[in-house]
Amino acid sequence: MKFEGVTVKELLRLPILKDAKVIGGEQGLDRIVRFTDIMEVPDIKGWLREGELILTTGYSIRHNPALLEDVVEHLAQVNGAALAIKPERFLSKIPQEVIDKSNLYHIPIIQIPPGIPYIDITYTIMEQILDRQAALLRRSEEIYKALTNLVLSNSGIQVMADNVAELVQCPIWVISSAGDVLVSSPADIPYVSTIKTRHWEVTVDKQFVGKLIVGKEQLDEFEQVCIEQARLVFSLELMRRKIAFDTEVRLRGSFLEELLLGLPLSRQEVEDKGSKLGLLPGWIWEVGMVEGDSSHFEEQSPFLSELNALIQRESEHRRIRVRSHVLRQGDRLILLLATGPLTDPIKKGSVGRDDVKEWPHILSSFLAGWSGIRVGFGSKCSLWEVHRSYIEARKAIFIGTHLDRYKAVFTFNDVEMFQLLLDASEQVPFDALIERKIGKLCLYDKQNGTDLVSTLYYYLATGGSLMETANLLYVHRNSVKYRLDRIKEISDADLENPLNRFVYYLCAAFYLLKKED
């Protein structure tokens, strides 16, 4: 708390100064006095302080009264309070130039009657200052105790805001570091940054978390005391919230780990724990797996911050506010995302709102601004089926990246057929078929470092479109045409027959899936 002090005008009302006269600088009577000192030497530059009242008889400058101009200038430079002079003994009069300068800088010059001892003046002034300071300290402690009790009794941040607004007699807002209004008083009053306000930073663990904003520009000492204590107490409240949030996130993360590992939890256990942690069992869920450069997944990284903000923003578009969750698992992220309420205990329906987009579509748009990030999505499921969706998400990203190295988002629905193909390969000897159909292409790629098998796969996957294949491979259309001629020449492939195209498509896909195993 910064103590302001007492104004010059207030000191002049004291009985000991009732006969003092202001002979210059009257416009500065509202200057604040925090200290008082006596001038014994003419050179006072360097030891004057802000808010200082200088007392002098003028003895040290009796031979050159014009030096008082320098004193006034030095007081103005340090934002001093006033100059009090007893001129009768050593100074016949105050030079008009000094008075003019005091009027220019609004530094009051006070003429003190000769019969008043310095000690009486300084003692009375400092007593007044200390009494005011003590009163403010007592009031500050009372306010702090009252507001702290609201925190300890868990009265809520709105009650705290209402109490502070009543003390300072104006609206207040607490704004998060992201610019969101955490609380306002009166409640729900919008904050407009263009209105005349003052603000103070609110920190938690030495980190900036928001601002306390007051809806007026000028505050008196009492109001400043209120705001300073309110800032500290809001920090306590936000810290309490942060601890509760971090604890809940940790518990939710542990619960999510249990679901992902497929631990033998009953449906009732999953529903009970999920409800307590904000993971609603009555909603459809889906798991996303994010892979890429691990630096993107560090806490406070731009990617992770933007991803969390996106998930929070999109989650709020659902019918009710529901908590999705982001969990770091080694060098990847696991997303547990809410899609919408279950329309049927067995058959899952859509969200029921046309303006709510699917998560894979949302992530595809988001990842357009980031390179080297891939996401696999499992199918939609109930909360107690999360383990299955997690396994599917892992398969989606594994199969998808093998089949299309340029794509960023894969769903299990897109690759399910290929998973069945991989599963069947353990029982069915596909290798002989692949060798017969595209064996020569595979050997040619290995010996020459070409991508003929990949080109064949993309060409068949796009329905035989040269342009789409060229776009997917980032090559010219003529390059695709040349590669197809080489493919037909090397493998003697008949790509005009629909059945042959299907067989070659499966063989190329299977080879790409198994190539790096």
Side-chain angles (χ1 to χ4, degrees), residues 454-466 469 480 484 488 495-496 501:
S454 296
T455 302
L456 176 62
Y457 169 77
Y458 283 119
Y459 175 71
L460 296 174
T462 58
S465 171
L466 292 175
T469 304
V480 176
L484 287 174
K488 293 175 183 178
L495 300 182
E496 303 302 323
R501 291 163 73 102

Side-chain angles (χ1 to χ4, degrees), residues 469-480:
T469 304
N471 291 337
L472 290 172
L473 291 171
Y474 293 96
V475 297
H476 194 272
R477 181 176 180 275
N478 290 338
S479 297
V480 176

Side-chain angles (χ1 to χ4, degrees), residues 287-291 332-335 374-376 390 393-394 397:
V287 174
M289 180 177 292
V290 186
E291 293 184 350
R332 59 190 178 189
L333 297 178
I334 305 299
L335 315 178
R374 301 171 300 278
V375 184
Y390 168 70
R394 188 166 60 187
I397 201 169

Side-chain angles (χ1 to χ4, degrees), residues 221-402:
E221 283 184 333
F222 170 72
E223 291 169 338
Q224 291 188 45
V225 167
C226 294
I227 291 302
E228 182 62 22
Q229 299 304 334
R231 186 181 66 84
L232 295 174
V233 173
F234 277 123
S235 294
L236 287 176
E237 172 64 18
L238 294 180
M239 178 177 288
R240 185 188 68 79
R241 287 185 166 199
K242 182 178 183 298
I243 292 172
F245 176 78
D246 290 346
T247 301
E248 185 175 327
V249 168
R250 187 168 58 253
L251 292 174
R252 206 181 316 146
S254 298
F255 174 57
L256 179 54
E257 288 279 10
E258 293 178 353
L259 295 178
L260 297 178
L261 290 172
L263 296 183
L265 299 175
S266 69
R267 176 171 172 172
Q268 189 61 49
E269 288 178 304
V270 173
E271 288 184 345
D272 291 343
K273 285 188 177 181
S275 297
K276 291 177 182 177
L277 296 173
L279 302 174
L280 303 182
W283 274 62
I284 300 171
W285 296 88
E286 57 189 303
V287 174
M289 180 177 292
V290 186
E291 293 184 350
D293 188 343
S294 59
S295 63
H296 288 316
F297 308 149
E298 297 291 341
E299 190 174 357
Q300 305 300 326
S301 70
F303 173 81
L304 189 56
S305 298
E306 290 186 29
L307 177 64
N308 280 317
L310 171 70
I311 291 174
Q312 180 180 352
R313 185 168 61 249
E314 292 295 335
S315 294
E316 291 174 353
H317 290 172
R318 271 56 184 173
R319 285 180 181 171
I320 60 175
R321 188 180 180 88
V322 66
R323 295 175 181 173
S324 298
H325 191 76
V326 179
L327 173 71
R328 180 165 183 178
Q329 191 182 70
D331 290 336
R332 59 190 178 189
L333 297 178
I334 305 299
L335 315 178
L336 181 61
L337 304 172
T339 299
L342 291 166
T343 58
D344 186 272
I346 299 176
K347 183 179 179 181
K348 307 170 187 63
S350 63
V351 176
R353 284 181 55 179
D354 295 335
D355 60 335
V356 176
K357 298 177 181 178
E358 296 287 343
W359 283 111
H361 177 78
I362 294 168
L363 267 293
S364 292
S365 300
F366 170 70
L367 292 179
W370 300 88
S371 61
I373 303 292
R374 301 171 300 278
V375 184
F377 278 93
S379 56
K380 297 174 183 178
C381 63
S382 303
L383 190 60
W384 52 90
E385 299 173 311
V386 162
H387 176 65
R388 172 177 59 79
S389 185
Y390 168 70
I391 297 298
E392 292 175 349
R394 188 166 60 187
K395 291 177 179 178
I397 201 169
F398 171 79
I399 296 174
T401 52
H402 277 70

Side-chain angles (χ1 to χ4, degrees), residues 38-59:
I38 298 171
M39 187 182 81
E40 298 290 357
V41 294
D43 185 12
I44 60 173
K45 184 178 182 180
W47 57 264
L48 287 178
R49 294 170 292 179
E50 180 182 356
E52 191 156 37
L53 169 66
I54 296 297
L55 296 167
T56 185
T57 60
Y59 175 78

Side-chain angles (χ1 to χ4, degrees), residues 156-219:
I157 195 170
Q158 184 62 56
V159 174
M160 291 171 51
D162 291 341
N163 275 263
V164 174
E166 184 177 353
L167 288 169
V168 297
Q169 294 295 300
C170 71
I172 71 163
W173 300 265
V174 177
I175 310 293
S176 73
S177 56
D180 300 321
V181 177
L182 299 177
V183 68
S184 66
S185 183
D188 300 324
I189 182 174
Y191 170 66
V192 182
S193 59
T194 57
I195 65 176
K196 295 180 179 179
T197 58
R198 292 186 63 184
H199 70 268
W200 289 259
E201 289 190 356
V202 179
T203 59
V204 172
D205 290 339
K206 297 182 180 180
Q207 292 185 350
F208 170 74
V209 295
K211 295 178 181 179
L212 169 59
I213 300 176
V214 178
K216 60 182 178 182
E217 293 182 283
Q218 300 297 326
L219 282 76

